[in-house]
């Protein structure tokens, strides 16, 4: 049973990576990051449930991850709004200042 | 009274203290007070040195060498430690008096001479620094301390020659003086190292058997002039070379041929500086060094030969040039060169068995300091009045500046060697030493130089003070203020009386063995008559040529010997030769290619590495696209590779 849950998590994570690498829209990028975070969170819950059922550590950590993800999205969205104000676009392929 | 014998360090410490306080605190506030403080400090030093010399020469054993005060400065190992201290012996006591007295009088004179100068306070600061350095030099108990102060006087001389730093010629002259003397000091340093190395070995060898030597360090003068040590040193075969190297340093400071070129140019400095540094004190440091090392030179006769011949040559060479110069200060500068040569060859004709030349040299140093300082200060008073250095622009100043005229005349007669003035006795003693030592060439050369000296000194005297004023400037000439006249008067008294001191009783080389010296020398009538007649011929010739109302005779002579006259007037083209050697040969043939190599080969290879790195890195920067997702791909790929790597190693 553990293996199928881990496979779901792997699938989610891979989708996230694929999204981050291919999406042109910054919003899509953020959503993909969320997918990756949720894959990790899912992993934590699953391993907690199957390996250490008597303890709650993994589940508590998951709540942390969800809270952190919310904060992270907030910051990401703020950056995005600023970016949109300057560039009138949220297309990440248009941004190329991140070099030497 | 005995306080000064126990702590003689106060003598050099006073000018040093005054240098610091005046230079840092008083000078910016009030140049007037700065001058007074500087002069007073040197005045106190002068009184203390006079007391010290008096106590020393009238004390129980005036011919003993002692080190009343010293401290360890550098500790290397036993036998090779370096002290700073105060050495008291006849010549250092004499030099203390000469340096402080002339320095004090020059300080006093400068209060008048430099009156309107914007650098008034700075001037006195430098003078104090110089006085301190010169005092440190004369009291050195070891050759290393002497080297340290030797360089310090070089620096103060540099600062004072370049005192008028807005004037390009003054800056060039100061650089020239510094570079030439520094170049000579290279020889001095190598000599010190060689002597220190040899001395240390001798010290190790003899130290166990001789308790006196065991207590000395290998660079102490006491050690280097000890007879046992010297015989050991001359066995090594390097003593003469080491001494000649040291002599090169001495020749640089004392401007011996061919290192004489800096001294005439040094006249760019203010006149009081020329009187103090480039006539009375610093330039005799070379003579003093040879005198200090005299027992060593006496053990190596070949080194002494070098000293005597170069001295004689410089003496004659400079005297000939002095006859043709028009700048009053340059004539005095060449005269100084000539007299320094005199002192040097006098040392060269002496040895420990017949030390008369040594005594005579120190005697001449002593008297020369006074009458040459007087000549310079007198020339300064004249320049102050007419604002020109050229003797052809002067004339007829006898009436307008009576006191300056009288003192200048005394100095001219003193340097010419007219009885009973100071120069007569010391010059006489030098000639006697040459004659009695069997050095006939030196005797004849010395006589000729004496005649030339009388001639050229009388020449500038007649041109300056006699006849009619030749330019407007002389009409407005007036006597110098009292503060400038006072040093002139004191120095003229000294120029008259200094010759009557029975020098031979006090000053002779100290040898540890039984002390027998010939005592007072009676006058040698051959020398007296020939010397005086040479002086008379020189003076009369000068009168015949230059004391007339017109200069037809001179002009006739010059036109008859036009070519020769030009060569001499151009100082035998030595400056041009030096310029040719340095600019055309050294700069172009040696320095030029080296500079090219440096610029192209050395810098080129450095630039090449830099360029190569830059070029290759610019290729690598192509992977930086600035695209967020490209970086994401690299990141993912990197993570994947790392994971695979871990996975494989775990397996």
């Amino acid at each position: 049973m553990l293996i199928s849950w881990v496979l779901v998590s792997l699938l989610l994570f891979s989708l996230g990576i694929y999204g981050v690498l291919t999406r042109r829209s910054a919003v899509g990028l953020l959503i993909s990051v969320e997918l990756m975070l949720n894959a990790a969170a899912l992993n934590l819950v699953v391993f907690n449930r199957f390996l250490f059922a008597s303890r709650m550590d993994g589940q508590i950590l998951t709540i942390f991850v969800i809270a952190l993800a919310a904060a992270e999205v907030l910051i990401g969205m703020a950056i995005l709004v600023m970016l949109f104000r300057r560039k009138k676009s949220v297309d990440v392929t248009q941004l190329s200042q991140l070099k030497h | 009274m005995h306080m000064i014998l126990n702590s003689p360090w106060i003598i050099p410490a006073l000018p040093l203290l005054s240098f610091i306080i005046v230079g840092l605190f008083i000078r910016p506030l009030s140049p007037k007070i700065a001058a007074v403080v500087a002069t007073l400090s040197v005045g106190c030093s002068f009184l203390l040195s006079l007391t010290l010399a008096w106590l020393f020469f009238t004390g129980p054993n005036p011919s003993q060498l002692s080190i009343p005060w010293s401290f360890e400065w550098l500790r290397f190992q036993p036998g090779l430690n370096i002290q700073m201290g105060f050495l008291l012996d006849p010549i250092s006591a004499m030099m203390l008096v000469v340096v402080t007295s002339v320095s004090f009088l020059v300080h006093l004179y400068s209060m008048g001479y430099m009156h309107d100068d914007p650098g008034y306070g700075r001037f006195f600061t430098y003078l104090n620094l110089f006085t301190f350095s010169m005092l440190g030099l004369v009291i050195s108990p070891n050759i290393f301390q002497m080297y340290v102060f030797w360089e310090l006087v070089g620096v103060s001389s540099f600062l004072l020659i370049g005192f008028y730093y807005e004037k390009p010629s003054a800056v060039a002259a100061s650089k020239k003086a510094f570079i030439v003397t520094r170049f000579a000091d290279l020889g001095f340093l190598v000599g010190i190292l060689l002597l220190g190395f040899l001395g240390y070995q001798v010290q190790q060898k003899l130290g166990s058997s001789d308790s006196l030597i065991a207590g000395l360090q290998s660079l102490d003068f006491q050690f280097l002039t000890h007879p046992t040590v010297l015989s050991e040193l001359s066995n090594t075969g390097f003593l003469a070379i080491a001494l000649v190297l040291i002599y090169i340093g001495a020749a640089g400071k004392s401007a011996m041929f061919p290192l004489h070129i800096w001294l005439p140019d040094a006249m760019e400095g203010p006149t009081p500086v020329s009187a103090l540094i480039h006539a009375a004190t610093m330039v005799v440091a070379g003579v003093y060094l040879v005198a200090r090392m005299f027992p060593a030179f006496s053990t190596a006769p070949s080194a002494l030969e070098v000293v005597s011949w170069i001295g004689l040559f410089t003496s004659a060479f400079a005297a000939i040039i002095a006859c043709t110069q028009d700048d009053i200060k340059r004539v005095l500068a060449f005269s100084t060169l000539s007299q320094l040569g005199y002192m040097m060859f006098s040392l060269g004709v002496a040895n420990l068995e017949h030390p008369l030349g040594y005594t005579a040299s120190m005697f001449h140093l002593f008297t020369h300091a006074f009458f040459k300082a007087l000549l310079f200060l007198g020339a300064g008073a004249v320049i102050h009045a007419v604002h020109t250095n050229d003797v052809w622009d002067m004339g007829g100043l006898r009436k307008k500046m009576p006191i300056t005229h009288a003192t200048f005349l005394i100095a001219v007669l003193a340097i010419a060697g007219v009885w009973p003035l100071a120069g007569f006795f010391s010059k006489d003693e030098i000639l006697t030493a040459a004659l009695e030592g069997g050095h006939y060439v030196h005797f004849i050369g010395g006589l000729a130089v004496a005649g030339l000296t009388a001639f050229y000194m009388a020449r500038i005297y007649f041109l300056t003070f006699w006849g009619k004023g030749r330019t407007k400037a002389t009409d407005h000439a007036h006597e110098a203020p009292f503060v400038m006249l006072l040093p002139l008067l004191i120095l003229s008294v000294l120029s008259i009386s200094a010759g009557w001191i029975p020098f031979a009783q006090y000053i002779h080389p100290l040898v540890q063995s039984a002390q027998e010296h010939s005592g007072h020398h009676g006058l040698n009538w051959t020398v007296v008559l020939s010397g005086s007649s040479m002086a008379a011929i020189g003076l009369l010739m000068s009168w015949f040529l230059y004391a007339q109302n017109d200069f037809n005779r001179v002009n006739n002579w010059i036109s008859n010997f036009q070519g020769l006259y030009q060569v001499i007037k151009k100082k035998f083209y030595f400056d041009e030769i030096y310029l040719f050697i340095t600019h055309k040969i050294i700069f172009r043939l040696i320095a030029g290619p080296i500079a090219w190599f440096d610029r192209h080969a050395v810098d080129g290879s450095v630039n090449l590495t830099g360029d190569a790195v830059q070029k290759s890195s610019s290729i690598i920067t192509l992977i930086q696209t600035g695209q967020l997702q490209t970086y994401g791909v690299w990141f993912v790929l990197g993570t994947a590779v790392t994971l695979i790597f871990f996975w494989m190693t775990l397996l």
Side-chain angles (χ1 to χ4, degrees), chain A residues 29-39 66 68-70 72-73:
Chain A
L29 230 68
L30 272 180
I31 293 169
S32 308
V33 170
E34 283 307 301
L35 276 181
M36 282 152 72
L37 272 170
N38 283 333
I66 291 167
L68 265 172
E72 178 253 313
V73 166

Side-chain angles (χ1 to χ4, degrees), chain A residues 45-62:
Chain A
V45 176
V46 167
F47 279 102
N48 183 227
R49 168 72 184 74
F50 284 95
L51 297 183
F52 306 100
S54 60
R55 294 166 67 173
M56 301 288 281
D57 305 27
Q59 298 181 29
I60 290 168
L61 205 56
T62 308

Side-chain angles (χ1 to χ4, degrees), chain B residues 99-319:
Chain B
V99 171
T100 50
S101 60
V102 177
S103 177
F104 172 61
L105 292 174
V106 165
H107 271 80
L108 207 59
Y109 179 90
S110 306
M111 288 169 85
Y113 186 84
M114 301 298 286
H115 192 64
D116 304 322
D117 200 278
Y120 192 65
R122 182 164 59 95
F123 182 77
F124 282 92
T125 315
Y126 288 165
L127 276 190
N128 264 342
L129 173 67
F130 170 76
T131 309
F132 159 69
S133 320
M134 192 64 208
L135 289 172
L137 191 154
V138 298
I139 59 167
S140 301
N142 60 58
I143 200 164
F144 200 82
Q145 181 185 338
M146 189 176 251
Y147 186 70
V148 172
F149 284 97
W150 190 269
E151 295 304 332
L152 267 177
V153 290
V155 169
S156 11
S157 158
F158 168 77
L159 290 171
L160 283 165
I161 295 171
F163 182 75
Y164 298 124
Y165 55 80
E166 298 95 346
K167 239 166 78 182
S169 60
V171 173
S174 67
K175 275 196 290 191
K176 187 171 178 183
F178 195 72
I179 291 168
V180 173
T181 49
R182 255 317 300 168
F183 177 74
D185 293 346
L186 179 67
F188 189 15
L189 182 62
V190 175
I192 291 175
L193 294 177
L194 187 57
L195 216 51
F197 173 70
L198 298 172
Y200 181 68
Q201 289 177 334
V202 172
Q203 217 268 354
Q204 296 300 303
K205 193 171 151 195
L206 295 177
S208 51
S209 55
D210 191 323
S211 62
L212 177 65
I213 293 176
L216 295 172
Q217 313 298 329
S218 58
L219 287 174
D220 286 356
F221 284 122
Q222 269 176 298
F223 176 81
L224 290 174
T225 53
H226 194 285
T228 332
V229 173
L230 283 174
S231 63
E232 278 292 328
L233 277 176
S234 59
N235 285 344
T236 61
F238 286 105
L239 181 62
I241 296 173
L243 288 175
V244 167
L245 284 168
I246 284 179
Y247 174 70
I248 290 176
K253 215 39 125 210
S254 286
M256 289 291 110
F257 178 87
L259 299 168
H260 63 280
I261 48 160
W262 66 271
L263 189 58
D265 286 22
M267 297 300 126
E268 290 290 344
T271 312
V273 169
S274 311
L276 175 62
I277 301 185
H278 307 115
T281 56
M282 186 192 81
V283 287
V284 299
V287 180
Y288 181 73
L289 173 63
V290 175
R292 182 56 70 234
M293 296 291 289
F294 185 69
F297 275 95
S298 186
T299 319
S302 50
L304 211 54
E305 277 300 88
V306 173
V307 173
S308 77
W309 286 109
I310 291 185
L312 181 64
F313 182 77
T314 310
S315 184
F317 173 79

